[in-house]
């Protein structure tokens, strides 16, 4: 059987500078690929995620499938933002000079994305999370601290203890007492077992409130998914936006945060998060930012 050829693009997501942000590979016309082949391709790129784009039925513009090197995900943040950016940058969506909106059909549900050309020409993309904020079980500071090689007193327990939170993909979210603790954190794979036995996901987002050019600084570890550390995690920070809005004293409003991630691993990222709260309930969460193209080519599949 002759090999089949598929065009691919790679981009860096949540950054305006090449070789920052989070890497993503996108196959914009993936028709004909099997589940096994998509998993193999994701393993070949070995980025935290690779996306495969297929035609969809209205009202969705495209069907998007997201793979890590080890498994398929129902939803993720930077793959959606990066895929929309690639489709917009390569002319797949027509003119975006006056802005554009697109809907991706995904396993977690429809993902709406707005696209806007910013001053200076950069393309900004922002997604609306496919699910409302879901607050899961709380976890002990000692168990979470052990999983990231920190003492238990490095974790802050007000206004929330370490907790499972999701807006489409669950993460353990934990606030640390200071930036020094954030910088010292390292994944401890054996210590993840007790968390997983409690039914918690093995993916942990640590964060601190920041009093500099950012509102929040964060790191995310997912070693069980083949990602020891992620430089920019849209789905986790979108969940964080929901949690922060949930704990905000105000019962109504739209809240915004500039979140830095990836600095400790040499891939600085900026994620723009927001959440809407009405009558004390978080009703919407969003994450966005800019991206840059890095490469394009063709991939041969036997």
């Amino acid at each position: 059987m002759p090999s089949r050829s598929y065009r691919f693009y790679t981009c860096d997501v949540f950054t305006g500078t090449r070789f920052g942000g989070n890497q993503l590979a996108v196959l914009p016309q993936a028709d004909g690929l099997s589940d096994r082949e998509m998993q193999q391709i994701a393993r070949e790129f070995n980025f935290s995620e690779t996306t495969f784009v297929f035609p969809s039925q209205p009202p969705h513009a495209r069907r998007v499938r997201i793979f890590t090197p080890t498994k398929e995900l129902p939803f993720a943040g930077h793959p959606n933002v990066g895929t929309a950016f690639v489709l917009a940058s390569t002319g797949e969506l027509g003119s975006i000079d006056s802005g554009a909106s697109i809907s991706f059909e995904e396993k977690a549900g429809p993902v709406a994305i707005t696209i806007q050309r910013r001053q200076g020409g950069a393309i900004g993309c922002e997604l609306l999370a496919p699910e409302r904020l879901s607050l899961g079980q709380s976890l002990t500071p000692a168990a979470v601290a052990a999983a990231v090689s920190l003492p238990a007193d490095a974790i802050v327990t007000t206004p929330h203890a370490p907790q499972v939170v999701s807006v489409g993909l669950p993460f353990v979210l934990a606030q640390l007492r200071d930036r020094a603790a954030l910088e010292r954190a390292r994944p401890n794979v054996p210590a993840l077992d007790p968390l997983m036995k409690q039914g918690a996901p093995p993916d942990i987002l640590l964060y601190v409130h920041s009093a500099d050019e950012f509102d929040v600084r964060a790191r995310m570890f997912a070693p069980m998914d083949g990602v020891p550390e992620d430089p920019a995690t849209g789905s986790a920070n979108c969940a964080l936006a929901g949690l922060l809005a949930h704990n905000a004293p105000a019962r109504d409003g739209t809240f915004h945060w500039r979140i830095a991630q990836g600095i400790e691993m040499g891939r600085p990222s900026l994620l723009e998060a927001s959440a809407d709260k009405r009558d004390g309930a978080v009703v919407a969460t969003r994450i966005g930012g800019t991206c840059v193209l890095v490469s394009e080519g063709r991939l041969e599949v036997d």
Side-chain angles (χ1 to χ4, degrees):
M1 178 183 296
S3 64
R4 292 160 289 151
S5 181
Y6 289 86
R7 179 162 293 282
F8 71 85
Y9 297 88
T10 70
C11 63
D12 291 335
V13 184
F14 296 124
T15 180
T17 305
R18 285 186 180 86
F19 315 126
N22 203 345
Q23 300 161 290
L24 178 72
V26 180
L27 278 70
Q29 288 100 27
D31 279 354
L33 289 172
S34 67
D35 290 3
R36 179 182 64 85
E37 289 168 335
M38 285 187 280
Q39 188 65 76
Q40 288 176 325
I41 291 168
R43 192 176 301 120
E44 180 74 13
F45 279 111
N46 205 35
F47 294 163
S48 56
E49 282 101 4
T50 297
T51 62
F52 301 87
V53 184
F54 301 86
S56 183
Q57 298 297 317
H60 307 295
R62 302 288 193 282
R63 182 165 62 95
V64 176
R65 298 181 66 180
I66 304 167
F67 284 78
T68 75
T70 60
K71 66 179 183 180
E72 185 174 6
L73 298 179
F75 165 72
H78 101 271
N80 276 293
V81 170
T83 299
F85 166 78
V86 166
L87 296 179
S89 299
T90 57
E92 293 274 343
L93 305 180
S95 174
I96 61 166
D97 290 340
S98 299
S101 298
I102 189 171
S103 177
F104 291 154
E105 177 189 356
E106 298 182 8
K107 290 197 171 184
V111 179
I113 301 177
T114 57
I115 304 165
Q116 190 73 47
R117 192 177 297 280
R118 300 186 179 184
Q119 188 174 7
I123 297 174
C125 302
E126 181 183 70
L127 69 83
L128 175 66
E131 297 179 6
R132 282 201 178 190
L133 176 69
S134 172
L135 301 178
Q137 63 180 308
S138 294
L139 304 163
T140 65
V144 175
V148 292
S149 309
L150 291 174
D153 63 2
I155 293 182
V156 175
T157 56
T158 54
H160 69 89
Q163 188 168 15
V164 178
V165 183
S166 177
V167 291
L169 191 66
F171 293 86
V172 174
L173 304 189
Q175 182 182 350
L176 300 185
R177 66 186 178 200
D178 53 36
R179 188 174 172 187
L182 185 69
E183 292 172 348
R184 290 197 305 271
R186 300 289 184 275
N188 179 359
V189 173
L192 287 169
D193 284 341
L195 294 179
M196 296 170 66
K197 287 177 180 177
Q198 295 180 56
D203 306 332
I204 302 175
L205 180 85
L206 306 175
Y207 75 95
V208 294
H209 291 286
S210 184
D212 49 28
E213 67 268 37
F214 306 107
D215 301 302
V216 172
R217 291 178 178 267
R219 298 179 71 183
M220 202 286 289
F221 304 110
M224 304 302 287
D225 291 333
V227 184
E229 182 170 0
D230 200 37
T233 317
S235 49
N237 282 293
C238 201
L240 175 60
L243 180 63
L244 294 176
H246 171 78
N247 289 323
R251 290 183 54 80
D252 294 276
T254 296
F255 306 86
H256 300 269
W257 299 270
R258 286 166 50 86
I259 302 174
Q261 191 182 332
I263 292 172
E264 293 79 6
M265 58 186 300
R267 296 193 67 93
S269 309
L270 171 60
L271 302 94
E272 301 163 359
S274 64
D276 297 335
K277 190 175 183 181
R278 302 288 180 265
D279 295 324
V282 177
V283 297
T285 56
R286 294 172 293 273
I287 198 83
T290 59
C291 312
V292 289
L293 280 173
V294 176
S295 69
E296 63 177 289
R298 302 201 73 86
L299 185 72
E300 302 300 317
V301 179
D302 292 332

